[in-house]
Amino acid sequence: MFDNLSDRLGDIFDKLTRRGALSEKDVGEALREVRRALIEADVALEVVRSFTDKVRERAVGAEVVKSVTPGQMVIKIVHDVMIETLGAEGKPIDLNAPSPVPIMMVGLQGSGKTTTTSKIALRLTRREKRKVLMASLDTRRPAAQEQLKVLGEQYGIDTLPIVAGETPPQIAKRAMTAGRLSGYDVVILDTAGRTHIDEPLMMEMAEIRDVAQPHETLLVADALTGQDAVNLAKSFDERVGITGICLTRMDGDGRGGAALSMRAVTGKPIKLIGTGEKADALEEFHPSRIADRILG
Ligand code: GDP
């Protein structure tokens, strides 16, 4: 479906026979292709700009070593800058805090928050042998709390009993108390989302944060978010403060440019990747895999 960036750059540099340092003109032509590949991969425009500036800085004047072609040299620089921007592989979830460790899940409606909440709970239960309690703080959608309960029953993970009439901060407080009293290692708070970012949503998230004091606040975002990824990540980070990003629907057709956009504007790590609807469709983040996918 997509032309491979290496092939495109190879074509450009095939015309170049001379060796030595890469000129401003060679690099400029190559960067047009890089820009195109990034835009096709749905990387936000402001990130495309800063990314190509960084590549230009490093590439212009770089000596092409004998063993590689100029095209390969530019590809390597693009790849290196991408891996640096995407960040290193890390521990997906940091549980290094007193029990129960609060984890707060935030994001827009439909991004995959509830699904990811139960995937993470299952992973922590099975792989790390932690006792996990999940709580839905979504009082707006009547079915939301029920949805988490059903997933909990399906996977054998406890959920906080539903009490009608409570506000999200009240539920958060009750979840943390239950977590403490019943000896849970981790409490995951699945918050409400909306179709778009608005002030009441951000205020609600900030209130929940103040009550729960989360050790991890994970932004769940659809990999197909595209150009909106920057605003989404910036808003949640500025208003609520995120510690990491979970990117869902990476099993889809998207090239995952949102990963680069969100990481570049917030500097926060991408911690986990959702690759399907099933409970085990959750993977650790590998920067080189995403880089290959973005570059096509
Ligand atoms: P929420 O509104 O943010 O809580 O979103 P949900 O967790 O209810 O997810 C919305 C839909 O996306 C559901 O049908 C999920 O099965 C689906 N979904 C969530 N994560 C993924 C994923 O990584 N891949 C795919 N293909 N579907 C997903």
Side-chain angles (χ1 to χ4, degrees):
M1 175 164 58
F2 304 102
D3 293 340
N4 185 300
L5 182 67
S6 311
D7 291 345
R8 288 195 211 160
L9 292 189
D11 288 346
I12 291 176
F13 286 105
D14 273 352
K15 290 178 258 161
L16 288 176
T17 46
R18 85 196 136 66
R19 290 276 165 176
L22 289 171
S23 74
E24 183 102 39
K25 184 167 169 287
D26 305 335
V27 174
E29 215 170 313
L31 282 182
R32 262 196 294 282
E33 291 302 325
V34 173
R35 197 172 295 125
R36 239 174 66 187
L38 295 179
I39 289 170
E40 274 172 21
D42 243 344
V43 177
L45 293 176
E46 67 174 86
V47 175
V48 171
R49 216 163 295 135
S50 58
F51 185 87
T52 47
D53 284 350
K54 221 180 270 176
V55 173
R56 179 182 296 109
E57 227 168 77
R58 210 172 291 183
V60 173
E63 286 291 328
V64 181
V65 292
K66 279 222 167 63
S67 53
V68 300
T69 66
Q72 286 167 337
M73 176 99 181
V74 175
I75 291 274
K76 178 162 187 327
I77 294 171
V78 169
H79 205 267
D80 288 351
V81 173
M82 177 130 345
I83 300 280
E84 282 166 30
T85 312
L86 284 170
E89 294 175 35
K91 202 167 164 47
I93 304 233
D94 178 13
L95 297 179
N96 203 2
S99 295
V101 181
I103 299 178
M104 181 172 165
M105 310 294 289
V106 300
L108 294 181
Q109 190 179 310
S111 57
K113 258 187 321 310
T114 303
T115 311
T116 309
T117 297
S118 52
K119 284 178 179 177
I120 290 176
L122 192 64
R123 187 190 181 99
L124 295 180
T125 306
R126 293 216 179 134
R127 287 203 196 174
E128 310 216 5
K129 310 286 174 228
R130 307 290 175 133
K131 192 176 168 202
V132 181
L133 176 68
M134 304 191 289
S136 169
L137 277 55
D138 189 347
T139 52
R140 238 159 274 266
R141 263 192 325 131
Q145 298 191 53
E146 197 61 35
Q147 184 193 352
L148 191 69
K149 183 174 162 220
V150 169
L151 286 169
E153 282 165 2
Q154 207 173 320
Y155 304 146
I157 295 164
D158 295 343
T159 50
L160 187 74
I162 300 169
V163 174
E166 277 184 335
T167 64
Q170 285 170 339
I171 304 176
K173 195 165 175 202
R174 185 162 57 88
M176 292 315 298
T177 306
R180 242 183 324 269
L181 295 179
S182 305
Y184 285 94
D185 301 312
V186 180
V187 173
I188 311 184
L189 305 171
D190 180 20
T191 66
R194 298 233 176 128
T195 50
H196 59 280
I197 298 162
D198 61 17
E199 187 53 28
L201 174 69
M202 290 302 168
M203 276 173 61
E204 183 175 305
M205 294 303 117
E207 264 181 69
I208 296 167
R209 174 202 59 204
D210 293 347
V211 169
Q213 303 275 320
H215 184 61
E216 288 267 27
T217 302
L218 303 176
L219 171 64
V220 179
D222 186 333
L224 304 173
T225 310
Q227 297 296 322
D228 293 333
V230 162
N231 278 342
L232 181 77
K234 255 191 210 158
S235 303
F236 275 101
D237 197 30
E238 282 168 11
R239 295 296 306 275
V240 193
I242 61 171
T243 56
I245 297 159
C246 299
L247 212 56
T248 60
R249 298 211 180 82
M250 282 298 278
D251 49 316
D253 279 344
R255 298 258 302 270
L260 186 70
S261 305
M262 295 198 284
R263 169 73 208 203
V265 294
T266 62
K268 300 294 159 62
I270 295 149
K271 297 215 161 192
L272 291 160
I273 303 281
T275 54
E277 301 199 34
K278 296 225 177 77
D280 59 354
L282 187 71
E283 293 177 8
E284 271 150 45
F285 168 68
H286 298 290
S288 56
R289 274 194 220 159
I290 305 277
D292 289 344
R293 187 161 168 165
I294 293 174
L295 293 174

